[in-house]
C-alpha cells in the first residue's frame, strides 16, 4: 500500500484513540484511567497490530479497535505493576496510585481491563475467536511473567532459564500478540499468524535485553533516568545472574552493599568480566532470530523491509 509507514499508522491510531476515551464520568474513575495515556509513548504495540494487518492484505482500519485494546491492556498492566513495585514515577510523572491513591488505581486499572475486552470484541466476527484466544493466552502469560519477576530474588535451579521465561512473558508475548492479532484480522492463516507472533516474541526478548544494557551502560542524558537502576534495586537481570556464576564471592559481597555503592562497584565488576559486551552480543543474537523468523511470515523481502527496519531501530536504540 502506498500509505504504508509506521508514522502513518501511529497517526491513525492516535486519532482513533482520542476519539474513543475509556470514559468520562465519574471523573474519579476515568481521570486516573486516562492518566498514563496522556503521558505519550511510542505506541509500538498498536502500530505493529495495524502494520501486520496491512501486510497480510487487510484493511488496517478493521484492526483499530484491537490495536486500542492492546494498548489499553498494556496501560492496565502498567497501573498495576506500578502499585506492586511501589513506583512513584513513570515517564517522569507521578504514577496513578501516587496521585490518586492505591484504591482508585486498582479500580481504574480494572476499568481499563474491561475496556480492553470491550474493544477487542469489536474485531471482525470471522476471526473473533482466535483473536480472543490469542489475547487470553497473552494475558495469562503476562501475569505469570509478573509473578516470576516478583520471585526473581529467590534462588532458582536454572536462574538464566527462569530469567528468559520471565522476560518472554512480561515483554515478548505482548508484542507477539499484537502482531498475531493484526495478522489474523488481515486474513492470515493461523500458521502464518503464529510466525508473526514468534517474530514479536523474539524481538521482545531482544528489546528487553537491550533495555537491561541501557539501564547499566546507557547515557543518563539520553535515557532520562539515573544509570544503574536495576543494580540499585537488586534486580536479578542476566548481568547479575552471569556475575554470580562467574564470581559468587564478588556477587554476594556486592548485594550486601548500600545501593549507591552497589551501583558504582557493580558497574565496575560487570565491565571487568566483559558482561557489558556479552549482553550486547546476546541481544544481537535474539534480534537475528527475530529477523530470520520473518522468512516464515509469507512476506517477501520488500514487504518485510518495514518490519526489519523497525526491529533494528528498536534494538539499536540509545534511549
Amino acid at each position: 500500500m502506498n500509505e504504508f509507514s509506521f508514522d502513518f499508522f501511529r497517526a491513525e491510531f492516535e486519532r482513533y484513540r482520542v476519539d474513543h476515551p475509556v470514559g468520562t464520568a465519574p471523573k474519579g474513575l476515568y481521570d486516573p484511567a486516562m492518566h498514563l495515556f496522556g503521558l505519550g509513548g511510542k505506541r509500538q504495540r498498536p502500530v505493529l497490530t495495524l502494520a501486520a494487518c496491512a501486510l497480510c492484505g487487510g484493511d488496517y482500519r478493521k484492526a483499530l479497535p484491537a490495536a486500542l485494546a492492546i494498548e489499553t491492556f498494556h496501560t492496565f498492566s502498567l497501573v498495576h505493576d506500578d502499585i506492586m513495585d511501589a513506583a512513584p514515577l513513570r515517564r517522569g510523572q507521578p504514577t496513578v496510585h501516587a496521585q490518586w491513591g492505591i484504591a482508585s488505581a486498582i479500580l481504574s486499572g480494572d476499568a481499563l481491563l474491561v475496556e480492553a475486552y470491550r474493544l477487542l470484541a469489536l474485531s471482525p466476527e470471522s476471526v473473533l475467536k482466535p483473536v480472543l484466544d490469542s489475547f487470553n493466552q497473552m494475558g495469562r502469560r503476562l501475569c505469570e511473567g509478573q509473578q516470576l519477576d516478583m520471585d526473581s530474588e529467590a534462588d532458582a535451579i536454572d536462574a538464566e532459564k527462569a530469567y528468559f521465561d520471565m522476560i518472554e512473558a512480561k515483554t515478548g508475548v505482548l508484542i507477539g500478540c499484537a502482531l498475531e492479532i493484526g495478522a489474523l484480522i488481515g486474513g492470515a492463516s493461523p500458521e502464518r499468524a503464529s510466525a508473526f507472533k514468534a517474530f514479536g516474541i523474539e524481538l521482545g526478548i531482544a528489546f528487553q535485553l537491550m533495555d537491561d544494557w541501557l539501564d547499566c551502560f546507557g547515557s543518563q542524558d539520553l535515557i532520562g533516568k539515573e544509570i544503574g537502576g536495576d543494580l540499585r534495586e537488586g534486580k536479578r537481570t542476566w548481568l547479575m545472574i552471569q556475575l554470580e556464576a562467574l564470581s559468587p564471592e564478588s556477587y554476594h559481597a556486592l548485594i550486601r552493599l548500600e545501593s549507591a555503592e552497589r551501583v558504582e562497584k557493580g558497574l565496575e565488576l560487570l565491565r571487568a568480566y566483559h558482561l557489558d559486551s556479552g549482553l550486547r552480543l546476546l541481544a544481537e543474537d535474539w534480534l537475528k532470530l527475530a529477523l530470520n523468523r520473518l522468512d516464515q511470515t509469507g512476506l517477501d523481502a520488500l514487504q518485510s523491509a518495514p518490519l526489519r527496519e523497525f526491529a533494528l531501530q528498536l534494538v539499536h536504540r540509545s534511549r
Side-chain angles (χ1 to χ4, degrees):
M1 56 185 286
N2 293 331
E3 59 191 5
F4 187 101
S5 78
F6 286 103
D7 287 341
F8 170 81
F9 290 133
R10 189 171 292 108
E12 289 293 283
F13 172 76
E14 278 302 297
R15 188 177 297 112
Y16 185 83
R17 183 190 69 79
V18 170
D19 289 342
H20 296 80
V22 178
T24 55
K27 291 176 68 63
L29 175 65
Y30 292 118
D31 282 359
M34 294 299 294
H35 175 63
L36 292 184
F37 278 123
L39 300 183
K42 297 177 181 176
R43 313 299 191 204
Q44 292 161 341
R45 297 161 189 84
V47 165
L48 286 173
T49 300
L50 302 181
C53 179
L55 287 168
C56 290
D59 180 350
Y60 74 89
R61 289 168 294 192
K62 293 182 179 180
L64 280 166
L68 184 52
I70 287 166
E71 188 71 355
T72 301
F73 182 90
H74 176 56
T75 304
F76 144 75
S77 73
L78 296 180
V79 172
H80 283 200
D81 282 1
D82 286 342
I83 295 170
M84 286 181 274
D85 294 342
L89 297 174
R90 179 170 290 278
R91 298 172 189 159
Q93 298 296 319
T95 50
V96 174
H97 72 274
Q99 185 162 336
W100 282 278
I102 290 177
S104 290
I106 291 172
L107 188 60
S108 294
D110 292 345
L112 286 166
L113 178 59
V114 172
E115 175 67 1
Y117 274 98
R118 186 193 71 80
L119 289 161
L120 199 69
L122 300 177
S123 300
E125 189 174 347
S126 59
V127 293
L128 184 56
K129 186 181 185 306
V131 163
L132 281 168
D133 287 345
S134 175
F135 198 80
N136 287 334
Q137 290 168 15
M138 175 274 296
R140 179 185 291 270
R141 285 291 286 147
L142 201 72
C143 291
E144 292 170 354
Q146 179 65 15
Q147 185 63 52
L148 288 168
D149 194 15
M150 292 163 61
D151 293 344
S152 64
E153 293 184 17
D155 290 334
I157 296 174
D158 188 339
E160 186 173 6
K161 181 179 182 300
Y163 174 73
F164 276 100
D165 190 26
M166 184 268 290
I167 64 172
E168 176 188 316
K170 280 201 70 174
T171 305
V173 296
L174 189 51
I175 297 175
C177 176
L179 284 156
E180 182 179 35
I181 284 176
L184 287 167
I185 294 173
S189 66
E191 294 76 19
R192 191 181 180 194
S194 292
F196 276 91
K197 176 183 179 180
F199 163 72
I201 289 173
E202 290 159 353
L203 177 59
I205 292 172
F207 169 85
Q208 185 58 55
L209 291 171
M210 191 61 195
D211 208 53
D212 290 352
W213 187 92
L214 287 169
D215 183 82
C216 285
F217 309 111
S219 164
Q220 184 165 309
D221 290 339
L222 289 176
I223 65 175
K225 62 180 182 180
E226 284 188 280
I227 294 299
D230 289 343
L231 278 168
R232 192 173 292 105
E233 295 171 23
K235 287 189 175 181
R236 281 176 60 81
T237 63
W238 182 88
L239 290 165
M240 295 297 277
I241 291 167
Q242 295 305 309
L243 179 62
E244 183 180 22
L246 291 167
S247 178
E249 183 178 343
S250 296
Y251 170 81
H252 289 290
L254 179 66
I255 60 176
R256 288 193 293 268
L257 296 175
E258 295 296 325
S259 59
E261 189 179 359
R262 189 191 309 138
V263 171
E264 182 180 357
K265 182 63 176 177
L267 293 176
E268 179 185 318
L269 282 168
L270 294 174
R271 288 191 174 99
Y273 284 99
H274 307 291
L275 291 171
D276 51 341
S277 57
L279 183 54
R280 285 296 293 260
L281 290 172
L282 187 61
E284 288 293 329
D285 287 344
W286 280 96
L287 174 61
K288 289 175 186 175
L289 282 174
L291 294 176
N292 289 337
R293 184 75 64 176
L294 283 175
D295 294 337
Q296 301 174 18
T297 61
L299 302 175
D300 60 33
L302 183 61
Q303 290 172 321
S304 65
L307 288 179
R308 290 181 183 277
E309 182 62 26
F310 178 90
L312 290 167
Q313 290 179 1
L314 195 64
V315 178
H316 295 162
R317 69 194 192 281
S318 57
R319 55 191 304 173

